[in-house]
């Protein structure tokens, strides 16, 4: 898989899956077009999790130490750029997309760095980590596919590694809820399509 080329070694990982009764092409297109912001809005549990995670940023803004960013209107994997905070890192069309971000997220306000696929590969800023995720569509019998969503994190130094592992021990179940929420969103949309549409 492409994710093994982008981040072959890592400190922590989580994989979740779902079986979808639809064609691989249709499911992959839906995955690329899925608005992750909309998925969070329509799922009250995910909305609450993201609200809690954003508390440190809101406190820093109230104290005047951080500017208020414009609200994220949408986030679609198919629209990720090759430069920015969250970026596209690779794609095997109709099978796998790999994306990620680099920075610090396990303590205090989240601080993402702007990268490109080239700078991401060599990113080694102290007290930071790289997150790489992928969505993969696998054939799974007749008229069904298995969709996997994996998230990997690799720290840049020992202090960051300890922080990432502490964060992951506590939040891995909640991260799993986010991954499964995205997979449910893909499944719901794919299986709601009329038979044969998009194939």
């Amino acid at each position: 898989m492409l994710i093994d080329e982008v981040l072959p070694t890592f400190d922590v990982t989580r994989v979740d899956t779902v079986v979808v009764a639809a064609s691989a092409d249709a499911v992959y297109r839906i995955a690329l077009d899925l608005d992750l912001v909309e998925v969070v809005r329509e799922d009250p549990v995910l909305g609450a999790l993201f609200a809690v995670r954003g508390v440190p940023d809101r406190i820093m803004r109230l104290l005047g130490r951080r500017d208020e960013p414009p609200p994220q209107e949408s986030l679609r994997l198919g629209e990720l750029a090759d430069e920015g905070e969250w970026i596209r890192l690779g794609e095997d069309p109709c099978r796998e997309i790999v994306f990620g971000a680099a920075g610090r997220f396990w303590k205090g306000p989240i601080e993402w760095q702007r990268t490109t696929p080239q700078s991401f590969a060599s990113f080694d800023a102290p007290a930071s980590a790289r997150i790489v995720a992928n969505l993969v569509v696998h054939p799974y019998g007749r008229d069904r596919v298995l969709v996997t969503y994996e998230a990997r994190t690799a720290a840049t130094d020992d202090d960051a590694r300890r922080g990432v592992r502490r964060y992951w021990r506590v939040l891995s179940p909640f991260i799993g809820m986010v991954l499964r929420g995205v997979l449910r969103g893909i499944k719901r949309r794919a299986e709601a399509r009329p038979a044969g549409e998009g194939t």
Side-chain angles (χ1 to χ4, degrees), residues 6-164:
V6 175
L7 197 69
T9 58
F10 45 90
D11 300 301
V12 292
T13 186
R14 173 138 195 151
V15 183
D16 281 280
T17 64
V18 68
V19 174
V20 182
S23 72
D25 288 350
V27 171
Y28 190 80
R29 283 196 297 273
I30 286 167
L32 290 187
D33 193 51
L34 183 69
D35 185 349
L36 302 182
V37 173
E38 181 181 317
V39 168
V40 171
R41 285 183 185 141
E42 68 187 21
D43 189 318
V45 175
L46 294 186
L49 287 175
F50 276 86
V52 168
R53 183 61 190 93
V55 166
D57 279 331
R58 287 197 295 277
I59 290 172
M60 293 299 280
R61 290 186 203 107
L62 287 172
L63 295 173
R65 297 182 186 168
R66 179 167 283 216
D67 294 332
E68 184 78 29
Q72 182 102 35
E73 295 297 328
S74 68
L75 178 61
R76 289 181 168 85
L77 297 182
E79 297 174 355
L80 285 177
D82 294 329
E83 182 175 357
E85 293 179 349
W86 282 89
I87 60 171
R88 179 189 303 240
L89 292 166
E91 185 176 10
D92 181 356
C94 294
R95 182 169 185 274
E96 178 184 10
I97 184 167
V98 183
F99 53 100
R104 189 179 67 217
F105 57 89
W106 58 92
K107 65 177 182 178
I110 298 171
E111 296 180 1
W112 299 123
Q113 303 299 315
R114 292 185 64 84
T115 61
T116 65
Q118 294 73 30
S119 64
F120 186 92
S122 59
F123 182 84
D124 63 355
S128 300
R130 292 179 293 162
I131 297 176
V132 172
N134 75 341
L135 275 166
V136 188
V137 179
H138 311 265
Y140 194 74
R142 180 179 294 185
D143 301 323
R144 296 191 302 167
V145 295
L146 179 72
V147 184
T148 62
Y149 189 173
E150 180 174 4
R152 300 177 177 180
T153 300
T156 58
D157 56 39
D158 289 340
D159 285 343
R161 189 166 295 107
R162 284 189 289 270
V164 165

